[in-house]
Structures are given as structure tokens and as C-alpha cells.
Amino acid sequence: MFGLFYPYGIVLQALAIMHFVRRRPDTYWLWIILMFGGVGALIYIVVEVIPDVGLLRGSFQVFPRRKRIKQLEGLVLDNPSIGNYEELGDLYLDDGQFARARECFDRVLAKSPSIDPLYRRALCAIALNDFAAAAPDLERVVSEDPKYDYQRAAGLRAHVLAQT
């Protein structure tokens, strides 16, 4: 029974152990992989590895984001609401189009000054190496909420002040 996967059982065990080392599931899986050979490794792969493949789906979703950007670009022409510009700015920021994201956040802040678009505009300015523009935005964010973005805003503010 255990020799059933003989030439491939070793490969399955190696793959299962590599996954085990990276993900650190419950320790009993290591014993199952080692004691039951290829069969144990196959069981581990079916139970632990295959569900993890579903987690990768988000990292490969570049095209739906670009499709949504195109939809929002058309939508803001018809309905230039703050929410549409803010979502478009977030998508541009995620896509690495910092100048366009900054323009969207400028429009949002012109209508409704709030802390989130202000912080995101500062992130765009930092990415564009415009530390002088990022400093006042980060100052305001930190003055309103010192723990904003798990205190990342305060750290960025210190970094930006050191750059200017």
C-alpha cells in the first residue's frame, strides 16, 4: 500500500514538507507526511495545500481592477461624486498611477476634507518624491488621529520631515 506511489511518493513528500515549513499548520501533519509516505503527503496536499491555492486568486486579479478603473473613469464623467473619485483614486493608487490618484484625491478634498483621502494624497506625494506636499497632509492626519493606519502615518510624517 505504501509503495503505491513509490517514485512519486518522495516528490509528494518533499512538496508537502516544503509547504509545511512555509505555512506551519498543526504539527501532527508532519507526522502524517513522514509516517505514511506518499499516501500521507497526498492526504496533506488535498486537505491543506489545495485550499491555500484559493488564497492566490487575489494576487492575480489585475485585469478586474483595470476594468473597474475604466468603468469609474466613464462614471465620473456622468456622476462626479466624491465616492466615485475616492474609489478611482484608491484604484489608481493600487495600480501605481500616483499622479492620477493624487488628482482624484485633490477633487475629493476640495468637496469634503476628511482624513482618509488626505492620508492617501500624502502617500501619492511620497511616491512621487514630493515630500514638501506630503508634510502638511501628514501633519493634519497625525494631529487629528495620532494612531491612524496603526501609527504608520506618524512614522511617515517623521520620515517626510527628515527628507524636507
Side-chain angles (χ1 to χ4, degrees):
M1 162 104 179
F2 296 116
L4 183 68
F5 295 115
Y6 169 65
Y8 304 107
I10 297 170
V11 174
L12 286 175
Q13 278 183 301
L15 291 173
I17 289 173
M18 284 181 4
H19 184 269
F20 178 85
V21 168
R22 289 185 181 182
R23 296 287 293 171
R24 295 287 181 187
D26 294 324
T27 308
Y28 64 84
W29 281 114
L30 182 61
W31 293 107
I32 291 173
I33 294 167
L34 294 176
M35 299 304 276
F36 295 106
V39 175
L42 183 64
I43 292 169
Y44 174 80
I45 288 171
V46 168
V47 174
E48 291 286 331
V49 177
I50 291 176
D52 284 351
V53 174
L55 298 174
L56 294 174
R57 187 177 317 130
S59 62
F60 294 114
Q61 289 187 348
V62 174
F63 299 115
R65 181 179 57 229
R66 291 191 181 147
K67 182 179 177 183
R68 182 66 182 153
I69 287 173
K70 292 292 181 195
Q71 288 174 343
L72 280 171
E73 286 173 343
L75 189 61
V76 295
L77 296 175
D78 295 335
N79 182 10
S81 70
I82 295 170
N84 289 340
Y85 272 111
E86 191 167 357
E87 184 181 356
L88 185 59
D90 285 337
L91 289 171
Y92 280 146
L93 184 64
D94 290 343
D95 204 36
Q97 299 180 34
F98 302 115
R100 296 178 94 178
R102 189 176 181 180
E103 292 171 8
C104 290
F105 292 128
D106 285 339
R107 289 184 183 212
V108 170
L109 290 167
K111 293 181 181 179
S112 171
S114 65
I115 193 170
D116 191 51
L118 195 65
Y119 176 69
R120 298 208 187 292
R121 183 173 72 175
L123 291 178
C124 294
I126 291 170
L128 295 169
N129 292 326
D130 188 5
F131 298 109
D137 290 347
L138 289 172
E139 286 287 340
R140 184 163 162 221
V141 169
V142 172
S143 68
E144 287 187 27
D145 185 5
K147 294 182 180 180
Y148 186 81
D149 197 17
Y150 300 103
Q151 299 178 342
R152 183 173 177 220
L156 282 174
R157 181 188 68 160
H159 176 72
V160 165
L161 292 176
Q163 295 292 326
T164 55

